[in-house]
Structures are given as C-alpha cells and as structure tokens.
Amino acid sequence: MARPARQRGGTAVAETSADTGADTGADAGAETVREQAVEAALAKLDLDTKARLLAGQDMWSLPALPEIGLKSLVMSDGPIGVRGVRWTADDPSVALPSPTALAAAWDPALARRAGRLLAQEARRKGVHVLLAPTVNLHRTPLGGRHFEAYSEDPYLTGVIGTGYVQGVQDGGVGTTVKHFVANDAETDRFTVDNKIAARPLRELYLAPFEAIVKNAHPWGIMTAYNQVNGVTMTEHRRLVNDVLRGEWGFDGFNVSDWMAARSTTGDIEGGLDVAMPGPHTVYGEALAAAVRAGEVEETAVDTAVRNVLRLAARVGALDGAPPAVTEPPAPLDGDALAREIARRGFVLVRNEGVRGGSPALPIPAGRTVALIGAAARDARVLGGGSAQVFPAHTVSPLDGLTAALPDGALTFSVGADPSDELAPAGQGFTLRAVCRDAEGAVLGEGNLPGGQVQWIGDDLPAGVTHEALASVEVVGTFTPRESGEHSFGTRGLGAFTLTVAGETVYDGVQTMGPETDPFEAFFGAPVERAKVALTAGETVEVSLLHPLDKEFATPLPAVMFSFVHLGPRRDPDELIAEAVEAARAADTAVVVVATTERVESEGFDRKDLALPGRQDELVRAVAAANPNTVVVVNAGSPVEMDWREDVAAILLSWFPGQEGGAALADVLTGAEEPGGRLPTTWPVALADAPVTDVTPTDGELHYDEGVFIGYRAWDKAGAVPAYAFGHGLGYTTWSYDSLEATPERATVRLTNTGTRTGREVVQIYLAPASDPVERPARWLAGFASVEAGAGESVEAEIPLPRRAFEIWDEERNGWSFVPGAYEVRAAHALDDTRLTAVLEV
C-alpha cells in the first residue's frame, strides 16, 4: 500500500505499510505477557460477571472489575475530535477537518499525524477507545453522512484509514473501524437489508476494512445497524467470525453500533463482543440466562470477554499487562495541525485567468477583496450528528481574511444565507442550562455554547441524574447585532415555554412528525414560535423551559432539544444587490457558499445536490459584476454548480475544522498551496450520476450496480463529470518525465516546472488492455505525494499491490489473479494521464 513519498537525495520513495503498529519483533515478549494476563484474568471471572462486562455499564464505558485489576474502559466518538464522555463546552475538543478533507489530502502520513493528535486528546480526556474511523464508501453522492467517510474508492479509503488507525494506536488508544459493513447511506439505516453480490462486497465494501486490518492491526471494529443479504450485521457470523477474524486474522474487540444489538443468542454467536450502550442490553443478565438455559455455549462468552480483556491490556487498563505503547509520541500542536490538514485538503478545481491574464489564485498582494456570503461570517466547520464536538474556538473565513489582509483591503457583504430556517442560538447569545427536579429544586447547571442541548447517557451537568431530572431551562441573554424582527423557536419533542425580554411568547407542545431516525426527529426541522422586534446592541433576557415527558422519551437516556433563532430577514434582492456593488468595487470577489446541517447530517440522506437558499443566484450575479470571482464551496460532498464556467476559480473546502478560516486565508493569499485532490467524483448534476439510489423498497436496497460505483460507474456509462476523481490544481506546474513499471512497482520521474515550491500527488491507474472478465475500465492502484522546489526533479517509487491485479471469483469463492497486458498510467488525475507504459503480468 503506497504512502507519501520520502525524498532521498532527489528520489521520493513511496513507503509501504510494513510499519503496521502491530505487535512484532521486540514487542513479541510483551504481547506474550499481555496474553498471559488476559487468560489469568478471564479464569477468575464467573459467568454473571463476564456477561455484565459485555453489556457495558453506561453510555460510553464498560464496568471496572477491581477483582482482576480491570479499569473501566471508556469509549468516545472521535472521527474529527474527541468528545469524551460529556458533550459539553466546559471541556472543549480540537476540531480537525472532516474525514473527507483528510482523504482529499491523499497523504497517509498526514492521517497518521491526525490520529496521533486525537490519541493525545483522548488521553487528556481519559478515553481509551475512539469510535472511528468511518470507512464506508461514497456509493452515491446522496449519502447524508459522507463527510464522515473518506472516498468513493476502496483503495484510497483503506490507505487513509490505515494511517489514521496507526496514528491513534501509536498513542496507545484503540480504534473501532466502522461501520462493518455496507452502512453507505442513512435512509432506514436501522433496518435496511442491503443486497450485495459477493464480488462487489469483497472488492469494494469489505476492501477498506481488510486493508486496515492487515496493515494497521486495529484493536476494535464496530458492526453496523443494517443487514447484509438478510442477516443483521451484529449477528453476521459469516462476515465477522469467518471473514474478519478467520480470513483476515482480526484479534480485536467487536462493539455494536449504539442500540444495534437485538438478539442475545444471535449476537454472541455472530461474533459481537460488546453490546452498547449499557447497562440494559441483550447481554448482561439475558446472556447469563441463555448460557444456563443451554442456548449459548459459555465458551462463546469467554471468547468475547477475552477480546475485551485484550483491548484493556493494550490500552493499559489491565493490571499485570504491559500496555502496547509505553511512551506516547511527542506532543502535537492541535491548532497548527488542524490548519495544515485544512489547507492540504482544500481542492482547487478551477483557476482561470481573467481575459487571458494570470490565474485568479493566489490573490496578488495589494489587491482589494470583497468577501461575500453569510457562510463566510458564520462558518460551518464540522458535519452534523454524533461526530460533533465543541472546539475552544473557530476561525471563520471572515476572521481568517481579516487577519491576513491589510486594513482597508477587505469588505464583507452577506449576499445570501445558506438557510432561511431558524438555527440553534449562537452569535450574541450567552446561555446556560438549569436542571430542576419535580419540585422545582435546582439539581445543577451547565454552560451551553449555543442553544442545542444534547445530553446522552450520563452526559449531564454535575449533580444531575436522569431519574431526578424533571425539567431543563435554557436561560441567558441575547445581544442582537442587527435591529429588526428576530424569530425565536424550538426544535425537539415535548412541551416548551419560550420567554423573550420578560414576555412569554410561546407555551405549547411539539408532537412527533414523520421522522423515523432519532437524529432526524430531535434535530430535524425547527419551528418558529414568535417574532420579537429588537434593537442592535440592546441586551435582552431569554429562556426556554422544557419539562421532560416520558411520552417523548428517546430510546436511550437522553435530553435532546434546541432553542433556535433567526435574525431579521432583509429583502434577499437587496442583499444580492449590495454584494454585487461590493464585488464591482473590488479587484477580487470571494463568495463563500455552503450546505447546512439540514442538508448534510447523520440520520438522513440528501434529496438533491442543490446549494440551499439563493446562493447559486448570488454567485451568478457576483460573477457577472466581477469576472475575477473566486467561489469557496464548503460542503462535505458534491453539490451542483451550474455557474462553474462563469467564475475564475473554485476552491472546495469541505468542512475544514476549527482553523478553516485561517487555512483559507493561507491558500487564497498564496502563503500556502492548496494541496487536495478529489477523493470523490463531482457530477455536473444529480441526473448525470450513475448511482443514486439510497431508498429501500420493501426494506431492501439492491446494489445492482455491482462493482461499478464512483469513477468506475462514470467510465462504464461513458459520462463526463464536472470534475473527475483525483482532480486538483496547485500553484505550480509539473512535467512527468519518465515512467518505468514492473509487476511490483511503478517509478515516475517528474519536474517542478513552475516558479515556486509545490507538492504533486502522483496517481497510478491500471487499465486492462483486453479483459477476460468484466472489470472497470481503470482503477487506482497506488499513489505517492512528492515535493520539489522550482526547477527541481524528483522520483517517486510506488508499489503496485498484487490485489490490484485480482478479482473476487464468485465461483471459486476466492481471489483470482488476472494475467494479461495492463496499461500503467501515471496521472495527475483520473482524466489527466501524463505517461503510460504497457505491463505484461
């Protein structure tokens, strides 16, 4: 598996993944001691204790067992930041760019550094295991949670996931590679039965998991909600016990997605070790009873407990067992790394000169800039759902450019807002949550960075329990930045009393709508309750009282609702007209457009690829006024851009994390080069995308496209997307000088022909000359990133894995090497081949 190239005297050698983080060589002795400690601890446990351990003790942890020296194992969501066991701003978390942004950097070493930082954060928060990474594929552009996954390509996904897992485990913290397997959409994700033939299942959906298991030796896996071919994944004995453990040699622990475990006997026999969240799951007392009734062999329980104890030994939570990592890596600067990942993941898909002049980016020094778009001021830096964290600070595009440009060089206009819906109270609000019992006595209080309350399990303010909690009141002040009618409202289920400036403006009950997913039900459409005229700068008191009602209780112990707000709505035509005038008066116009949490989030899939609100209209109007218009698209997955040929430059920023605005300023001003390449094909329009189905029929979703997803499907359809897989521009140019290929590796020599230091991602694709089996026209086989100064040459050596020449033979039920002639293509992108060589294997 290729990793970024190291320069060695002008030669860049793409490293293999031999450095797996697994227990080898000098650590073999420690591994033996760990296994002995595991067996000794297991022998001391009775059936009831073993069953209780597998059930979990609360939302995020397993019970401690002092009698065997076992500490409580703590888990936390963590794809982009480590939340910890409490979802609170009182304990902020570094917020890295989205996983798709990390994949867009095409750099496993960078992913490994990201993992090391997250391990550092996990240790600080007392977390032993991260519930990450997500390595499901971008099967269609409509997947609502794609920002949390890496790519449409299984090879790229496996390489980046390998780096991430290695990095986290370098720091002595476990990972759970998820969601095993085929959780590639959100629609009916709890019940959908995904029908997938053996070949695409192996070549696409299982492939990233297999690569990570073999190359990074993860300490955990998370099984998904969905079914695959009629069997729920938490009970899928064939895929978990036979394939994951038997064929691939996985020896870690298998935890369910939260509330995915449904059958005591089915789960334990299907290879599920831990059912979460605890303590009331299908394990515990039910598991012990099943053993006593002869329905389950106690050896199956022992196997699961052994896997949990092995995890505890590795993370240093089992007495007598040396941890896998005794000295964590050197500390990392979270702010600096977040900024680096953001700029390295930005993908410049267009950069044209105006009337034959120099490209629009980077913006030359001394130019004036009109920054436009509400998304530039109120930045969305991470995706919605369980991956959310509270960073200590965020840098918006407006913040970043204000700091980077000289006084007087920057103007800002709202132009258009991505959303005209109310959103959780943020700018101008100072809020806290007051928790009371049934008699009205205060149990405790917690600070809120915004109007969203999301307390799951024991994630409650100090002194508060679910048993005693009867009501939550969000109280505080609001200082508006604009005069006019402000809208206030609620999001969630149950009774609400809303008060603004001393007046009760709403007192009523919100009942359940058509939603089927808890995330959508509790964080779906906000409801406006009142409009209140306020004056800019004049502070008013606000409160939202929410009595808890068992009728509206969540499926697990949780308090989830939002106090929402929307500022005065000015005439949209006037806002666009103001933006046009600002653009006309500036040398460069920078328009920031974005999706919202109501477009991309966990819990639901997208209905279309359109930018919300009047953002498209804004871009067209600004571009007509100033041909030197740069558009920054902040979305986690593709959006339609019918104006793309009318603007000078387009930069994709994904959800760029807490330092996104600073990284954006770095790239726009030319202090840094945008380093990203597309990890996913961007269509011109949804109608052009070959695979779009995410909605089950009669509970089933058929993956009828087989192995043809992503660019494989575009090639088969003979269709041309807006921007191809692997596409991305930098601030320098490269000549590809020579290509040599053997069955084991490709060697590419290239020269930086531009005027500044730059980085290039050399991509190697294989294309069979004449195919005896039905395969894609071409596929990614390896890559390496190289860096060189102006005029310098560099050589990249990229291993070609044997698997690149194999298919899954459904008749033989195994991998089959396909001999013949292959064209090896050294490319800047899938559609930009620079050199070719014919290879006979």
Side-chain angles (χ1 to χ4, degrees):
M1 210 172 260
R3 295 202 309 198
R6 297 177 297 182
Q7 283 194 232
R8 295 175 179 164
T11 300
V13 181
E15 300 171 342
T16 65
S17 294
D19 178 12
T20 63
D23 301 303
T24 57
D27 193 48
E31 174 69 5
T32 299
V33 175
R34 279 194 291 274
E35 289 299 312
Q36 292 171 344
V38 165
E39 295 301 326
L42 175 62
K44 297 176 183 177
L45 298 178
D46 60 29
L47 174 61
D48 293 302
T49 304
K50 289 185 288 191
R52 179 166 60 89
L53 176 65
L54 302 182
Q57 72 173 349
D58 54 29
M59 183 59 59
W60 303 115
S61 68
L62 306 186
L65 300 177
E67 63 269 31
I68 60 170
L70 176 66
K71 301 178 181 66
S72 175
L73 283 166
V74 178
M75 293 170 271
S76 170
D77 279 312
I80 58 100
V82 183
R83 184 171 65 230
V85 297
R86 296 183 61 217
W87 202 70
T88 171
D90 295 335
D91 184 16
S93 309
V94 172
L96 297 179
S98 68
T100 303
L102 186 61
W106 287 61
D107 188 345
L110 185 64
R112 190 165 190 166
R113 288 167 58 207
R116 286 180 172 178
L117 173 66
L118 294 175
Q120 177 180 303
E121 285 276 281
R123 293 193 307 271
R124 178 176 67 82
K125 288 175 174 269
V127 169
H128 301 102
V129 182
L130 286 188
L131 303 174
T134 301
V135 299
N136 302 114
L137 298 184
H138 297 179
R139 175 177 166 264
T140 88
L142 291 177
R145 200 178 181 181
H146 280 350
F147 57 84
E148 197 180 313
Y150 292 130
S151 171
E152 68 187 28
D153 182 76
Y155 179 81
L156 177 60
T157 296
V159 173
I160 301 301
T162 292
Y164 180 100
V165 168
Q166 288 174 333
V168 174
Q169 295 181 178
D170 284 346
V173 174
T175 56
T176 56
V177 188
K178 65 183 188 183
H179 308 84
F180 189 77
V181 59
N183 181 185
D184 309 300
E186 294 294 281
T187 304
D188 295 344
R189 61 177 174 161
F190 294 100
T191 57
V192 63
D193 183 6
N194 293 323
K195 299 293 187 179
I196 314 172
R199 187 178 165 200
L201 184 61
R202 288 282 189 159
E203 293 185 17
L204 298 179
Y205 304 102
L206 287 172
F209 292 94
E210 180 183 10
I212 294 169
V213 167
K214 292 186 174 181
N215 294 308
H217 194 198
W219 300 342
I221 205 97
M222 180 189 289
T223 41
Y225 294 117
N226 55 277
Q227 302 174 59
V228 171
N229 297 329
V231 182
T232 299
M233 278 310 308
T234 54
E235 305 171 34
H236 215 303
R237 187 185 315 182
R238 165 64 182 153
L239 292 181
V240 173
N241 288 341
D242 296 348
V243 176
L244 175 65
R245 294 196 185 279
E247 291 183 25
W248 302 347
F250 173 70
D251 67 354
F253 95 120
N254 173 15
V255 61
S256 72
D257 204 341
W258 266 226
M259 300 178 59
R262 303 177 180 97
S263 166
T264 299
T265 57
D267 286 334
I268 196 69
E269 292 176 356
L272 182 71
D273 298 325
V274 174
M276 289 297 286
H280 306 296
T281 74
V282 296
Y283 286 171
E285 293 179 1
L287 180 57
V291 173
R292 293 190 173 102
E295 299 168 358
V296 171
E297 295 290 336
E298 189 168 356
T299 53
V301 177
D302 289 344
T303 296
V305 172
R306 186 177 289 113
N307 292 332
V308 172
L309 294 177
R310 184 178 296 117
L311 169 69
R314 285 168 168 164
V315 301
L318 181 65
D319 289 352
V325 175
T326 54
E327 303 224 359
L332 290 163
D333 183 328
D335 293 354
L337 184 56
R339 187 168 180 169
E340 179 184 353
I341 294 171
R343 65 173 173 79
R344 292 280 306 282
F346 289 161
V347 180
L348 183 61
V349 295
R350 178 177 174 84
N351 194 19
E352 300 296 320
V354 178
R355 290 186 289 273
S358 300
L361 293 179
I363 299 170
R367 300 292 178 89
T368 57
V369 176
L371 180 63
I372 297 166
R377 180 188 62 192
D378 303 315
R380 185 181 185 195
V381 300
L382 40 78
S386 59
Q388 289 182 322
V389 296
F390 290 125
H393 65 271
T394 61
V395 183
S396 69
L398 179 56
D399 295 332
L401 282 170
T402 299
L405 296 177
D407 290 344
L410 181 70
T411 62
F412 171 72
S413 305
V414 171
D417 199 308
S419 174
D420 57 4
E421 287 188 335
L422 289 79
Q427 181 71 34
F429 288 86
T430 301
L431 303 172
R432 68 185 191 280
V434 180
C435 302
R436 297 184 175 90
D437 63 17
E439 283 71 46
V442 175
L443 300 171
E445 297 187 9
N447 292 322
L448 293 176
Q452 185 165 296
V453 175
Q454 182 176 310
W455 299 332
I456 303 176
D458 294 332
D459 185 10
L460 294 167
V464 181
T465 65
H466 286 285
E467 292 73 22
L469 183 62
S471 70
V472 178
E473 185 177 13
V474 176
V475 299
T477 62
F478 173 50
T479 305
R481 59 189 176 190
E482 298 170 291
S483 296
E485 281 200 329
H486 288 253
S487 298
F488 295 87
T490 62
R491 185 168 66 174
L493 302 178
F496 296 98
T497 302
L498 176 62
T499 303
V500 179
E503 179 183 351
T504 298
V505 295
Y506 174 76
D507 190 359
V509 177
Q510 176 67 43
T511 57
M512 176 71 88
E515 303 90 350
T516 59
D517 189 293
F519 274 101
E520 187 174 9
F522 285 89
F523 296 105
V527 181
E528 180 182 294
R529 303 302 186 183
K531 282 188 169 71
V532 181
L534 300 175
T535 303
E538 294 187 6
T539 300
V540 296
E541 293 186 350
V542 295
S543 77
L544 179 65
L545 175 63
H546 178 48
L548 304 182
D549 188 333
K550 291 184 179 178
E551 178 186 351
F552 302 107
T554 58
L556 42 81
V559 180
M560 299 161 62
F561 70 97
S562 297
F563 174 25
V564 295
H565 164 263
L566 183 67
R569 296 289 88 186
R570 291 183 54 202
D571 183 285
D573 292 330
E574 290 183 7
L575 291 176
I576 292 176
E578 288 179 3
V580 166
E581 290 308 308
R584 188 174 285 122
D587 296 317
T588 299
V590 176
V591 184
V592 181
V593 296
T595 60
T596 69
E597 191 174 321
R598 296 279 289 131
V599 174
E600 290 184 272
S601 179
E602 180 178 352
F604 54 87
D605 289 313
R606 301 166 71 186
K607 301 296 186 289
D608 55 48
L609 303 185
L611 284 168
R614 297 181 63 178
Q615 295 181 103
D616 288 317
E617 184 178 344
L618 171 67
V619 172
R620 286 191 288 266
V622 169
N626 187 338
N628 202 30
T629 292
V630 176
V631 182
V632 178
V633 180
N634 188 26
S637 46
V639 298
E640 293 173 352
M641 302 180 292
D642 63 5
W643 36 258
R644 68 191 184 284
E645 301 292 338
D646 301 326
V647 301
I650 301 173
L651 183 71
L652 310 181
S653 66
W654 316 108
F655 299 138
Q658 66 180 49
E659 306 296 325
L664 181 63
D666 290 340
V667 166
L668 293 181
T669 62
E672 300 286 354
E673 183 181 41
R677 305 292 184 265
L678 283 180
T680 289
T681 306
W682 276 50
V684 174
L686 177 60
D688 300 328
V691 181
T692 59
D693 189 15
V694 295
T695 304
T697 300
D698 297 327
E700 297 180 353
L701 182 63
H702 291 258
Y703 285 38
D704 290 334
E705 68 280 353
V707 297
F708 297 96
I709 67 169
Y711 63 84
R712 296 164 167 82
W714 285 89
D715 278 347
K716 183 179 182 182
V720 179
Y723 301 107
F725 178 82
H727 174 64
L729 308 173
Y731 288 160
T732 189
T733 54
W734 296 85
S735 69
Y736 281 55
D737 305 327
S738 65
L739 166 65
E740 296 179 3
T742 71
E744 289 76 38
R745 70 181 56 245
T747 303
V748 182
R749 188 165 186 81
L750 59 164
T751 301
N752 180 346
T753 55
T755 59
R756 58 178 285 167
T757 297
R759 192 179 186 96
E760 174 74 337
V761 177
V762 182
Q763 303 164 36
I764 299 295
Y765 296 91
L766 292 181
S770 60
D771 215 346
V773 295
E774 185 182 31
R775 282 188 292 180
R778 50 191 166 173
W779 56 88
L780 181 69
F783 65 90
S785 54
V786 296
E787 186 172 325
E792 292 182 352
S793 295
V794 65
E795 194 170 81
E797 294 182 6
I798 304 170
L800 299 179
R802 177 181 173 85
R803 180 60 55 81
F805 300 94
E806 295 179 328
I807 66 163
W808 182 261
D809 189 324
E810 294 181 347
E811 292 185 3
R812 294 178 55 249
N813 195 36
W815 291 101
S816 178
F817 188 86
V818 183
Y822 291 82
E823 187 175 74
V824 180
R825 301 176 178 176
H828 171 78
L830 181 81
D831 63 347
D832 187 2
T833 298
R834 301 294 178 88
L835 294 171
T836 62
V838 175
L839 180 64
E840 190 79 34
V841 296

